[in-house]
């Protein structure tokens, strides 16, 4: 065999085993790429992918899009752990937005190594921001924030409103009545 990986002194049995393996192994599906991709991994295997990526918190009650976002951002968050960016990325995984004000940005200046975190959920995710969900977000922020820092968590509310102008026309007929009393 010209494309064989066996050495030139391989026995006939080795060569026969190689030809059988080449023929039959090609027919076995190899889904490794889709299993290691958080976007294409089957939902029942996603907790195992999260574990292999180093995700420390996992809840079965979280919606699927949040689970996939947490796994998708896991490596980046671990890489930048202890920075403001890791806090932002973690909260973004949960579908929220944050505003961070550090101690030196407040007037008067706050205690060193403290920050305020205003967490807002908007759109369809705003309905699920219950107490347990917010507790999970706070736990994740506490896990990825700088160790020396302490934070105050403020939950905000984001809503959209619009005004519409409506006009109603009402036909009115006036009739003049002349009455002669006489």
């Amino acid at each position: 065999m010209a494309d064989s990986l066996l050495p030139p002194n391989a026995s006939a049995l080795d060569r026969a085993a190689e030809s059988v393996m080449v023929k039959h192994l090609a027919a076995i599906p190899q889904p490794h790429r889709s299993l290691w991709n958080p976007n294409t991994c089957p939902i029942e295997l996603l907790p195992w992918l999260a574990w292999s990526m180093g995700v420390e918190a996992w809840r079965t009650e979280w919606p699927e899009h949040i689970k996939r976002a947490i796994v998708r951002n896991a490596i980046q968050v671990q890489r930048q752990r202890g920075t403001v960016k890791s806090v932002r990325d973690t909260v973004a995984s949960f579908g929220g937005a944050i505003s961070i004000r550090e101690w030196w940005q407040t007037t008067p200046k706050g205690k060193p190594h403290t920050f305020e975190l205003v967490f807002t959920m908007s759109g369809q995710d705003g309905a699920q921001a219950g107490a347990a969900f917010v507790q999970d977000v706070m736990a994740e922020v506490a896990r990825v924030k700088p160790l020396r820092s302490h934070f105050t968590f403020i939950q905000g509310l984001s809503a959209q409103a619009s005004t519409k102008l409506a006009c109603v026309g009402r036909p009115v007929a006036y009739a003049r009545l002349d009455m002669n009393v006489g």
Side-chain angles (χ1 to χ4, degrees):
M1 283 188 163
D3 56 346
S4 175
L5 295 176
L6 293 175
N9 63 347
S11 68
L13 180 63
D14 291 336
R15 297 206 183 277
E18 180 190 36
S19 68
V20 169
M21 284 195 284
V22 166
K23 187 179 357 174
H24 293 296
L25 284 180
I28 296 174
Q30 306 278 330
H32 294 95
R33 287 183 192 263
S34 65
L35 291 177
W36 280 93
N37 184 343
N39 298 324
T40 59
C41 181
I43 190 67
E44 61 273 2
L45 299 177
L46 200 58
W48 300 106
L49 180 60
W51 173 78
S52 67
M53 295 290 186
V55 174
E56 294 180 19
W58 190 261
R59 303 275 185 269
T60 56
E61 63 268 7
W62 288 343
E64 181 179 343
H65 69 278
I66 290 178
K67 291 177 183 178
R68 291 190 186 278
I70 286 175
V71 175
R72 196 177 305 114
N73 292 339
I75 292 175
Q76 190 67 18
V77 167
Q78 291 293 341
R79 217 179 256 160
Q80 297 174 340
R81 195 173 184 164
T83 65
V84 173
K85 177 132 175 54
S86 68
V87 173
R88 287 188 195 282
D89 289 346
T90 298
V91 174
S93 297
F94 283 96
I98 59 170
S99 172
I100 297 177
R101 270 190 353 182
E102 296 198 43
W103 64 275
W104 48 269
Q105 295 172 322
T106 61
T107 305
K109 289 186 179 182
K111 292 175 93 173
H113 310 298
T114 60
F115 63 95
E116 273 183 3
L117 187 134
V118 179
F119 172 71
T120 54
M121 294 292 288
S122 60
Q124 64 182 7
D125 297 330
Q128 71 188 11
F133 186 77
V134 171
Q135 194 68 28
D136 292 339
V137 173
M138 287 174 52
E140 283 298 296
V141 168
R143 187 179 64 81
V144 300
K145 71 172 182 56
L147 286 176
R148 68 179 182 194
S149 297
H150 302 285
F151 67 96
T152 303
F153 191 88
I154 302 168
Q155 186 174 1
L157 177 65
S158 175
Q160 284 186 327
S162 62
T163 58
K164 305 250 185 208
L165 180 61
C167 296
V168 176
R170 186 170 152 190
V172 177
Y174 289 103
R176 185 173 186 158
L177 298 175
D178 288 328
M179 295 204 169
N180 290 331
V181 181

